[in-house]
Amino acid sequence: MDIDTKVLQQMGGEYILAALPINNYRDIGLSFERSFVTKAGYWKVYLYKVR
């Protein structure tokens, strides 16, 4: 996945929620925080922080 994290930071973005894991998160300037699963939810959600 190609995400311009510098532009995201300039726009005030601090976190990314994803429905799929971002395999190259380190390469694009993200740090993996945690994943979430709920009994009522349909998706596993991945939380990444912009470094």
Side-chain angles (χ1 to χ4, degrees):
M1 182 172 284
D2 188 22
I3 299 170
D4 192 339
T5 53
K6 290 180 184 179
V7 173
L8 182 61
Q9 279 184 315
Q10 291 172 356
M11 295 172 57
E14 297 179 40
Y15 293 92
I16 293 177
L17 292 172
L20 297 171
I22 301 173
N23 294 328
N24 64 334
Y25 66 91
R26 289 184 189 103
D27 298 335
I28 60 175
L30 300 174
S31 61
F32 176 72
E33 295 291 307
R34 64 176 290 196
S35 59
F36 302 88
V37 179
T38 64
K39 292 179 183 177
Y42 295 104
W43 304 102
K44 184 173 188 178
V45 178
Y46 300 86
L47 176 65
Y48 298 90
K49 184 172 183 172
V50 180
R51 293 188 272 153

